[in-house]
Amino acid sequence: MTDIPSTTIKEAYYKPWNSGIASGKSGINLYVRLNENTIILDSVLFRENVLKLKNSPVDSLLYVANLHSDNHKIRTKTSNFYSFDSSVDECVISYKIKNRKGLFYHKVFGVMKRQTINYPSSPTKN
């Protein structure tokens, strides 16, 4: 595991979400905010799931991973994250360093839960 300067990652937090209908989905959005664009985030191991981190189209310093029943990938022995351990308030991030080859890994401690997002139910059809 490679340490990046602690000032590079500003914060990491997650927000549970509910779809708003009884038979709908629910999940967790994991947010990682950087202080500067010196690294490019790739994937994250969060709660035993390997998720792709996507850069926000409106904020170049914010990355988001979405966990719900349709898209999660349980960590396997063939995963790059196989050798890492993390608890419920930790995650392991894979990232690239500009102008360097390969992926690097960094463990983030103290991933905090924020308020749950409850999406409104769909309008009824007449």
Side-chain angles (χ1 to χ4, degrees), residues 8-14 29-44 51-66 91 93-98:
T8 301
I9 295 179
K10 182 176 183 177
E11 63 181 341
Y13 59 93
Y14 67 95
N29 291 338
L30 174 71
Y31 301 87
V32 180
R33 180 173 298 285
L34 303 176
N35 277 319
E36 55 193 12
N37 282 325
T38 57
I39 61 174
I40 301 165
L41 303 187
D42 181 70
S43 299
V44 62
L51 307 165
K52 189 72 176 167
L53 282 160
K54 297 177 183 171
N55 195 219
S56 167
V58 295
D59 184 348
S60 66
L61 298 175
L62 182 65
Y63 288 79
V64 182
N66 307 106
C91 66
I93 295 172
S94 67
Y95 64 96
K96 298 174 184 175
I97 299 174
K98 293 180 181 180

Side-chain angles (χ1 to χ4, degrees), residues 42-98:
D42 181 70
S43 299
V44 62
L45 171 64
F46 181 63
R47 297 190 174 186
E48 297 297 315
N49 295 278
V50 177
L51 307 165
K52 189 72 176 167
L53 282 160
K54 297 177 183 171
N55 195 219
S56 167
V58 295
D59 184 348
S60 66
L61 298 175
L62 182 65
Y63 288 79
V64 182
N66 307 106
L67 172 62
H68 56 81
S69 59
D70 291 346
N71 76 341
H72 72 283
K73 178 183 176 187
I74 300 295
R75 171 174 59 164
T76 64
K77 289 184 179 183
T78 58
S79 165
N80 291 337
F81 289 95
Y82 178 69
S83 62
F84 297 111
D85 290 323
S86 64
S87 68
V88 294
D89 68 337
E90 299 172 346
C91 66
V92 177
I93 295 172
S94 67
Y95 64 96
K96 298 174 184 175
I97 299 174
K98 293 180 181 180

